[in-house]
Amino acid sequence: MASSTHEHHLHHLPTPYGTTTAPPPTPSTQPNNLLSTSEAADSLSRLLHRIPPTLSLSFPGRRQSQPSTTTSPPLISLSDPKPTIHSNLFSAAKQHGFFQLTNHSISSQLATSAESESSSIFNLPHDEKQRYFPKNWPLGFDNDDDDDEDNVNGKSLCLDSSCSVESNSTDLGLTSLREFTCQMEKLGLQVIEELACAVGFENPFGDGRTRFSSLMWISESEGGLSSKPLSSSPLYPFVIGLSFQIRCRKYSMLADSGWVSVSPQMDSVLVTLGDVAQVWSNGKVKKVRGRPVLAATADLAEGNSNTSNSHCLSMALLVTLPLESTVTPLLPKSPPPVDDGENNSESPPMFNPFSFEDYAWRVYHERLLLKDPLVRYRL
């Protein structure tokens, strides 16, 4: 890591909490022929996000409204034989970048208890929120809009895999949330292993606990709608994201194919592939930018959609990388086991290797949405 990043490296993940956010790191060296155009595009992106919505409706990429059609994500059952799982997983990853898992080991009772404990965190007074969960990028409450009293109290909270609390003077009773996070992490690692087998690259995590990080991101929504547009919500790079479906909900996601609206079935786990997974696969799989946005809630099983005055929480577990990691394509040594009808011979790299820390800082703080942040790393 370049020396310019050392100042803020020590108090980032995996250190639970520490000092406040430091200045951004010096970006890794990029190809000269891409730098100027990328910087110009990034500047335009930041400018457009500051334009009031009434003046920016014609710009592509901004979230105007929910997609008109809601679909059910591709379904993958973990009880199927391995060849079937790999075939279905490869197809969903290549065509969509998201799917829903069934027949997994996570219980709905545990998820409901974790949601209840998460709700208690958001109901804490403002001073207790800041004391127990101080901002330490990317952990803590999202307090970017300091002039907004509601946003000072936080609309989203990022926790490490142990759901650490700064002060132990009060027992917040997060036993279920910690266990839920642990179970979701195990499921995420299983999915990554199956994805590596399906696509045909070696899983870089292996059995090494220090090779990955997990973040539990909890967001609060009011009135059945997302409290923030995706362009102003915190973005963070990840390998895969997992969201347990306690009830029937509709999500909006920005996939490589554009905005999509999906409604997974109850007790399934909605899985989204992230930018790291796309680079690892050398562009073979599609991705979703950021976390799915809760668009509406309805208990379809009971036919109850009268939730306009309700407060809703969404919990997404992101399996990601330690900050000191380098992201690079993982070229297969042999053709992938799934025959997709195409030439599966080894392809040349599609991406330049890059520093995960520099990339994560840039994506989080600039909140790029109008263009794919991976564009500057493409060969």
Side-chain angles (χ1 to χ4, degrees):
M1 185 64 58
S3 60
S4 59
T5 65
H6 288 172
E7 294 180 3
H8 67 278
H9 190 144
L10 295 179
H11 60 272
H12 292 171
L13 291 178
T15 303
Y17 290 99
T19 57
T20 56
T21 304
T26 303
S28 301
T29 304
Q30 306 298 332
N32 293 332
N33 61 337
L34 295 178
L35 186 59
S36 59
T37 56
S38 296
E39 290 180 343
D42 294 346
S43 298
L44 177 61
S45 174
R46 293 193 297 271
L47 173 62
L48 293 179
H49 286 319
R50 296 190 180 99
I51 300 177
T54 55
L55 300 180
S56 58
L57 293 178
S58 61
F59 290 107
R62 290 187 66 92
R63 180 167 174 250
Q64 311 305 328
S65 60
Q66 305 301 326
S68 58
T69 303
T70 301
T71 61
S72 179
L75 191 148
I76 297 176
S77 172
L78 290 180
S79 64
D80 286 339
K82 289 287 186 180
T84 303
I85 293 176
H86 294 164
S87 177
N88 293 339
L89 181 55
F90 185 81
S91 176
K94 180 181 178 182
Q95 297 180 30
H96 305 284
F98 58 86
F99 49 89
Q100 57 180 322
L101 285 177
T102 60
N103 295 311
H104 49 76
S105 60
I106 301 177
S107 70
S108 58
Q109 292 82 1
L110 178 60
T112 301
S113 296
E115 183 186 59
S116 177
E117 292 178 357
S118 300
S119 180
S120 67
I121 296 176
F122 280 83
N123 290 331
L124 289 172
H126 168 53
D127 60 339
E128 292 189 22
K129 287 181 179 179
Q130 289 202 330
R131 188 192 327 149
Y132 296 134
F133 308 99
K135 187 63 179 176
N136 179 39
W137 177 77
L139 303 175
F141 278 97
D142 174 34
N143 295 332
D144 283 352
D145 299 321
D146 291 335
D147 294 333
D148 187 333
E149 182 65 26
D150 290 335
N151 282 328
V152 168
N153 284 334
K155 290 297 184 183
S156 68
L157 170 66
C158 180
L159 300 172
D160 61 17
S161 59
S162 63
C163 300
S164 301
V165 179
E166 179 70 11
S167 173
N168 294 321
S169 60
T170 300
D171 183 8
L172 296 180
L174 304 182
T175 303
S176 293
L177 180 58
R178 292 189 179 98
E179 178 61 21
F180 177 68
T181 301
C182 177
Q183 293 299 318
M184 290 282 278
E185 180 183 86
K186 290 180 180 178
L187 179 60
L189 294 177
Q190 179 183 354
V191 172
I192 292 174
E193 175 62 27
E194 304 295 357
L195 178 67
C197 292
V199 177
F201 59 84
E202 183 177 355
N203 181 2
F205 291 163
D207 297 327
R209 183 60 182 86
T210 61
R211 299 178 184 177
F212 67 91
S213 295
S214 295
L215 300 174
M216 174 57 74
W217 225 297
I218 308 171
S219 301
E220 181 185 45
S221 303
E222 184 174 354
L225 296 176
S226 172
S227 59
K228 287 186 179 182
L230 181 58
S231 59
S232 63
S233 298
L235 305 177
Y236 197 85
F238 59 95
V239 183
I240 64 169
L242 304 96
S243 301
F244 187 95
Q245 302 306 298
I246 300 175
R247 57 190 63 84
C248 289
R249 288 174 167 177
K250 183 170 69 173
Y251 295 89
S252 290
M253 302 185 297
L254 182 56
D256 283 339
S257 59
W259 283 103
V260 295
S261 180
V262 298
S263 181
Q265 65 186 41
M266 286 180 59
D267 294 334
S268 69
V269 174
L270 176 62
V271 179
T272 54
L273 304 184
D275 31 16
V276 176
Q278 186 170 64
V279 174
W280 278 1
S281 72
N282 201 31
K284 287 185 173 64
V285 306
K286 292 188 177 180
K287 67 178 182 301
V288 171
R289 300 186 210 171
R291 306 181 306 282
V293 176
L294 183 62
T297 61
D299 189 346
L300 301 181
E302 299 180 2
N304 178 21
S305 60
N306 186 21
T307 59
S308 59
N309 295 321
S310 63
H311 289 259
C312 305
L313 291 179
S314 61
M315 300 180 292
L317 191 282
L318 302 184
V319 181
T320 183
L321 301 178
L323 289 174
E324 64 271 15
S325 304
T326 297
V327 186
T328 186
L330 304 176
L331 300 179
K333 297 180 180 179
S334 60
V338 177
D339 182 7
D340 60 347
E342 298 179 358
N343 182 6
N344 287 327
S345 60
E346 184 174 320
S347 302
M350 291 182 58
F351 299 91
N352 281 308
F354 56 89
S355 162
F356 179 78
E357 182 175 18
D358 291 349
Y359 180 70
W361 183 279
R362 176 172 171 265
V363 169
Y364 183 95
H365 289 90
E366 297 185 13
R367 305 202 176 176
L368 304 171
L369 184 65
L370 291 185
K371 80 177 191 69
D372 186 348
L374 286 178
V375 167
R376 66 159 53 190
Y377 305 104
R378 285 185 177 271
L379 291 172

